[in-house]
Amino acid sequence: MSTIISVENLGKKYTLHHQQRESYTALRDVISNGVAAFGRKLLHPFSTSRPQVPEQEDFWALKDVSFEVKQGDRIGIIGRNGAGKSTLLKILSRITEPTTGRVKIKGRVASLLEVGTGFHAELTGRENIFLNGAILGMGRAEIKKKFDEIVDFAEIEKFLDTPVKRYSSGMYVRLAFAVAAHLEPEILVVDEVLAVGDAQFQKKCLGKMEDVSAKEGRTVLFVSHNMGAVKSLCNRGVILNNGAVRLDSDIDSVINLYVNSENSFDSAGNDNINCFENVGIIASGKNSFITNNDNASLAVRINVKQNRNLNCGITIYNSVGIPLLSSCMLDTYDVINIGISEYLLELPIQILHSGNYRVEGAIWDDFQVYDQRECLCTFDVLRDDSKLEINGVGYKGYLKLPFKWSNQ
Ligand SMILES: Nc1ncnc2c1ncn2[C@@H]1O[C@H](COP(=O)(O)OP(=O)(O)OP(=O)(O)O)[C@@H](O)[C@H]1O
Ligand SMILES: [Mg+2]
């Protein structure tokens, strides 16, 4: 397969402006500054000036990033908040310029970045479809051919002649995704925004991205914190950490590293006083998935250095990012020990449908969150009751509760 995107030594520098002290000086400040200066003089007799806060500071959101994308690849770009994912996608979509390095792209890019980019607020849905098509270099006849498909997919027919500034964020994303995915770009770039849509629409978008790539050989770059979605869609992945590439590999290796060594990834606000050490699934079956006959538990290993009435909790998400259930340790276990300890939490497999699940976790007290992980681990459930479904008739809903039917 030929290389369609090549990113070489890419860097993006932002200049952060710090607020300086007020430009006017009140009498109160003269007095208090005088006292402070006197105190400093006592502590540091040879220092002549006060410590200076620089007015501005350079910050590299991306540093020396290089990777290649082959035609037809579906690349998941993952990393903690602030890792540089959106900055990278903005450069690839030519919305912002790199400070160093370069990007070579063969083909048209359609991108779906955060809500607010790509559409003209005053124009109607219909006008925006034509505008976006024209920007992608398509003729009017070509866009007309795709028009009905776009409107069908977005399910916004009634609002076609309403300016998009009146759309809800969900409607906006539906239309933006439909436009980006149907206007036949060689490269489709999607950043997180799908999280705005409802579960059913998210699923539809994942399916469409798979089609775009598998049936039409187009290339997809997908940023998401939802490991289930990344795993189901992507064949390759890149982990960004602090603006640099940490791993560029097949998707399973990338998710494994990200999930299993999250301690080594920077996380805003994580001071590592009390943190998760390791979390894994222990199942009675021999398979890599859990079946309805298996018992499965979550083994949670935490390291507590300071205990201030800590709580530790987990939330289970389904593959389209819907939180299904939460559990907190203090619900059933009332002391959290200092030191490294392992806790077992039995998973309610009997109420989970077949699918891929993600476990999120946090450790916190009344004052702060010590550790928060979007993905402590993932697991797959494979039930043998799928035969009970036919033509869309069967189990519905996110959970499978053990209702009892009885004969009166
Ligand atoms: N216009 C800007 N000016 C200054 N700093 C910026 C700007 N845009 C982004 N940054 C900084 O660059 C870093 C990377 O931001 P980016 O939005 O790329 O992160 P991200 O990986 O997409 O995070 P998230 O998962 O939260 O979406 C962050 O520290 C952010 O504060
Ligand atoms: Mg982002």
Side-chain angles (χ1 to χ4, degrees):
M1 279 285 178
S2 62
T3 300
I4 193 162
I5 301 176
S6 114
V7 173
E8 293 166 27
N9 311 105
L10 205 65
K12 177 72 187 176
K13 181 175 78 177
Y14 287 117
T15 304
L16 307 177
H17 298 273
H18 298 296
Q19 219 175 353
Q20 291 296 297
R21 289 172 170 274
E22 304 91 309
S23 52
Y24 69 92
T25 315
L27 177 62
R28 186 195 60 225
D29 299 328
V30 175
I31 296 169
S32 62
N33 287 346
V35 171
F38 180 65
R40 262 201 312 275
K41 200 80 192 161
L42 281 177
L43 287 170
H44 308 285
F46 304 111
S47 142
T48 50
S49 61
R50 64 186 309 141
Q52 281 290 309
V53 181
E55 261 178 58
Q56 55 182 51
E57 188 187 327
D58 288 342
F59 170 77
W60 287 87
L62 291 176
K63 289 173 286 200
D64 205 19
V65 169
S66 301
F67 62 93
E68 284 198 344
V69 180
K70 301 263 185 258
Q71 192 201 332
D73 267 346
R74 298 176 306 279
I75 312 259
I77 296 171
I78 59 183
R80 314 281 323 205
N81 295 126
K85 305 178 294 294
S86 298
T87 306
L88 175 64
L89 294 197
K90 279 184 200 153
I91 294 174
L92 294 177
S93 314
R94 311 250 185 246
I95 286 171
T96 183
E97 285 282 312
T99 314
T100 62
R102 59 188 188 149
V103 171
K104 282 191 235 157
I105 299 179
K106 287 190 212 147
R108 299 179 298 186
V109 179
S111 41
L112 186 58
L113 305 178
E114 62 252 4
V115 176
T117 48
F119 279 174
H120 197 300
E122 301 294 333
L123 299 183
T124 64
R126 183 190 304 277
E127 290 162 337
N128 267 299
I129 296 176
F130 280 95
L131 178 69
N132 268 265
I135 291 170
L136 277 173
M138 296 172 73
R140 219 179 151 74
E142 212 181 335
I143 303 170
K144 259 194 176 145
K145 245 179 25 198
K146 292 277 160 193
F147 189 86
D148 290 344
E149 264 180 62
I150 293 175
V151 177
D152 268 2
F153 189 94
E155 299 168 32
I156 51 126
E157 198 173 357
K158 272 201 298 201
F159 303 96
L160 259 181
D161 295 306
T162 306
V164 297
K165 67 179 177 193
R166 307 235 180 280
Y167 282 18
S168 70
S169 50
M171 283 161 62
Y172 192 102
V173 166
R174 277 165 180 267
L175 182 61
F177 181 87
V179 167
H182 287 83
L183 288 184
E184 306 203 335
E186 280 80 22
I187 302 159
L188 178 62
V189 169
V190 177
D191 189 356
E192 199 70 296
V193 283
L194 297 183
V196 177
D198 56 39
Q200 192 208 348
F201 188 71
Q202 286 179 24
K203 213 169 162 179
K204 193 164 150 185
C205 292
L206 284 172
K208 180 66 192 168
M209 285 193 276
E210 252 170 70
D211 280 0
V212 157
S213 168
K215 293 195 192 135
E216 303 161 30
R218 291 189 265 146
T219 308
V220 179
L221 269 77
F222 180 50
V223 165
S224 177
H225 291 281
N226 178 346
M227 291 305 127
V230 173
K231 192 173 168 168
S232 76
L233 175 68
C234 302
N235 61 324
R236 274 190 52 211
V238 171
I239 302 180
L240 282 182
N241 184 43
N242 260 335
V245 174
R246 168 71 185 261
L247 180 68
D248 169 2
S249 185
D250 63 279
I251 199 64
D252 289 335
S253 315
V254 160
I255 291 182
N256 275 343
L257 178 72
Y258 187 63
V259 169
N260 292 324
S261 60
E262 263 190 292
N263 268 342
S264 59
F265 293 108
D266 278 355
S267 146
N270 175 9
D271 52 16
N272 273 334
I273 297 177
N274 301 312
C275 60
F276 289 101
E277 286 273 312
N278 205 355
V279 176
I281 301 285
I282 299 176
S284 62
K286 292 189 196 73
N287 302 311
S288 58
F289 46 81
I290 302 165
T291 70
N292 37 344
N293 300 320
D294 293 342
N295 293 314
S297 303
L298 195 66
V300 180
R301 194 171 142 94
I302 60 177
N303 187 354
V304 173
K305 296 187 186 131
Q306 188 191 80
N307 189 338
R308 298 200 302 197
N309 294 324
L310 282 187
N311 203 349
C312 170
I314 59 114
T315 300
I316 299 176
Y317 286 78
N318 69 8
S319 62
V320 290
I322 306 290
L324 300 179
L325 305 154
S326 284
S327 174
C328 291
M329 206 183 283
L330 294 191
D331 289 348
T332 52
Y333 193 91
D334 55 327
V335 185
I336 292 185
N337 304 324
I338 295 257
I340 296 182
S341 21
E342 204 156 279
Y343 301 86
L344 273 183
L345 176 66
E346 200 180 313
L347 288 172
I349 299 304
Q350 64 286 358
I351 63 166
L352 299 178
H353 288 294
S354 292
N356 174 263
Y357 295 89
R358 166 173 65 95
V359 181
E360 179 191 77
I363 299 175
W364 72 98
D365 65 14
D366 287 347
F367 306 98
Q368 73 182 98
V369 176
Y370 293 98
D371 199 2
Q372 186 173 20
R373 310 289 181 94
E374 279 158 21
C375 188
L376 285 169
C377 68
T378 60
F379 62 93
D380 292 295
V381 174
L382 195 68
R383 308 186 71 89
D384 60 10
D385 52 13
S386 52
K387 59 181 175 295
L388 300 178
E389 276 184 41
I390 181 166
N391 292 340
V393 175
Y395 291 112
K396 299 251 162 70
Y398 298 127
L399 295 173
K400 182 176 187 293
L401 294 178
F403 290 110
K404 287 237 180 325
W405 290 67
S406 53
N407 198 333
Q408 293 277 330

